[in-house]
Amino acid sequence: MSRPATFLPPPGARAYSLRTARGEFAVVDAPVASGAEPRGVALLLPGFTGSKEDFNQLHVPLAERGYRTVAVDGRGQFESDGPESDESAYAQEELARDVLAQAETLGQPVHLLGHSLGGQIARAAVLLDRSPFRSLTLMASGPAQISVSQQKRVKLLRDALTVMSMAEVWAAIQAMEPPEETDTPSLDGGLDDRNDLRRRWLSTRPAQLLATGLQLCTEPDRVAELAALSMPFHVLSGSQDDTWPLPLLDDMALRLRARRTVVEGAEHSPNTDRPLATARAIAGFWDEDAGPDARRPRFRPA
């Protein structure tokens, strides 16, 4: 489970409901920093059990580089509405079409970034319609299904959700966490009492977790389809990741002819583990490989 340092929007950012042709979605929208030259708009998609707040620490450094960033709760995630029990509403194509509607509402080609599950939803959106996007960044998001060890964890969660309430599952998860994992560092150095994490969990729709958990365990390899598109790609991860091992991500970057970034000292959530280094890598890709005059990128380590 991702653990943002804070659930408060950063200075200058605004939390609101983005109205689209496919409904309303909760977002955190951070404008370009005062004095910075505007360079583009980015749409940020969170991962499994995550939310828009997972990107809170990226907004300011990206704003200072000239980028407006809009982080979104997908359908049924945290503060975005969705059905409680209808898993068909969370089919990957449905979620991908939501992303296309969000991009359309923002009104210009956007840089698209997806973390983990969000990366696979982002990929599906690009494969449906590449035209609304300037680039695609896959952050800690691999070519196909998650690792066997993580599939076992997702199966445990799916099994639990069929017989337990969200509150009961939360209590069980907390009971199994190591003590050092049950508190979240805050920006002021104190310890979060986990109320925000619990609120996020209880607000997420069970059907969303059931449907997207199954997707993570069964996703096919669609890298060849993606590589056939003419657009800049970026594969970014931490230096450790047990959800998709690094060799898989390295190979995917080669197949996509993508920029490859490994953020040292980060694991599956570089956006929260090493946000400043992650933001620098993202902005560097947008500036150099995905700017208006950039050529098709080639694989190169960061």
Side-chain angles (χ1 to χ4, degrees):
M1 181 183 298
S2 59
R3 288 175 166 80
T6 177
F7 273 67
L8 296 174
R14 183 165 66 101
Y16 64 95
S17 291
L18 181 72
R19 295 183 178 181
T20 80
R22 288 177 63 85
E24 297 188 6
F25 298 89
V27 301
V28 171
D29 187 338
V32 174
S34 177
E37 179 184 354
R39 298 184 66 90
V41 179
L43 181 61
L44 314 178
L45 312 182
F48 186 61
T49 76
S51 67
K52 60 191 180 301
E53 287 73 20
D54 294 344
F55 301 107
N56 274 350
Q57 290 175 276
L58 298 185
H59 290 297
V60 170
L62 291 174
E64 292 172 348
R65 294 285 292 266
Y67 293 99
R68 174 190 173 195
T69 47
V70 182
V72 61
D73 287 337
R75 182 190 304 203
Q77 278 185 319
F78 193 23
E79 294 178 322
S80 289
D81 196 18
E84 291 282 329
S85 56
D86 179 10
E87 291 185 46
S88 67
Y90 304 104
Q92 188 184 77
E93 182 172 334
E94 293 297 315
L95 301 180
R97 292 193 181 280
D98 289 345
V99 174
L100 292 173
Q102 293 154 13
E104 180 183 19
T105 299
L106 295 178
Q108 57 183 295
V110 301
H111 296 290
L112 183 60
L113 181 151
H115 173 234
S116 195
L117 170 72
Q120 297 199 331
I121 294 169
R123 178 173 76 176
V126 169
L127 288 172
L128 282 173
D129 184 358
R130 176 255 184 274
S131 63
F133 306 111
R134 290 176 61 180
S135 72
L136 173 61
T137 296
L138 301 171
M139 177 188 291
S141 186
Q145 72 272 14
I146 56 178
S147 66
V148 172
S149 63
Q150 290 301 310
Q151 288 184 45
K152 291 177 180 177
R153 290 171 64 93
V154 170
K155 185 180 185 303
L156 283 174
L157 175 59
R158 283 173 47 81
D159 289 347
L161 287 171
T162 62
V163 296
M164 300 166 68
S165 68
M166 289 290 284
E168 290 170 333
V169 173
W170 172 260
I173 291 172
Q174 298 310 296
M176 292 187 294
E177 291 275 13
E180 66 271 16
E181 295 292 332
T182 59
D183 294 311
T184 303
S186 67
L187 289 179
D188 61 7
L191 289 176
D192 191 300
D193 62 1
R194 290 176 286 145
N195 284 342
D196 285 326
L197 291 172
R198 183 176 187 274
R199 180 168 60 90
R200 177 173 72 177
W201 175 264
L202 294 180
S203 298
T204 298
R205 309 304 188 271
Q208 192 270 352
L209 292 172
L210 288 166
T212 58
L214 181 61
Q215 289 169 30
L216 285 169
C217 295
T218 58
E219 178 73 3
D221 188 323
R222 305 186 70 188
V223 175
E225 295 175 67
L226 195 61
L229 301 179
S230 177
M231 70 184 303
F233 300 116
H234 186 193
V235 176
L236 183 148
S237 72
S239 54
Q240 297 183 53
D241 196 322
D242 61 358
T243 303
W244 285 280
L246 263 63
L248 281 179
L249 300 177
D250 293 341
D251 179 69
M252 181 173 72
L254 283 169
R255 294 165 65 193
L256 291 172
R257 292 177 290 153
R259 175 180 284 219
R260 175 74 172 107
T261 298
V262 176
V263 180
E264 292 298 329
E267 297 186 14
H268 186 59
S269 297
N271 45 316
T272 57
D273 294 343
R274 294 287 310 281
L276 293 181
T278 300
R280 283 194 298 269
I282 293 167
F285 165 67
W286 290 340
D287 288 349
E288 298 167 23
D289 288 347
D293 300 320
R295 295 181 179 180
R296 184 78 164 89
R298 293 180 298 173
F299 176 86
R300 53 179 173 178

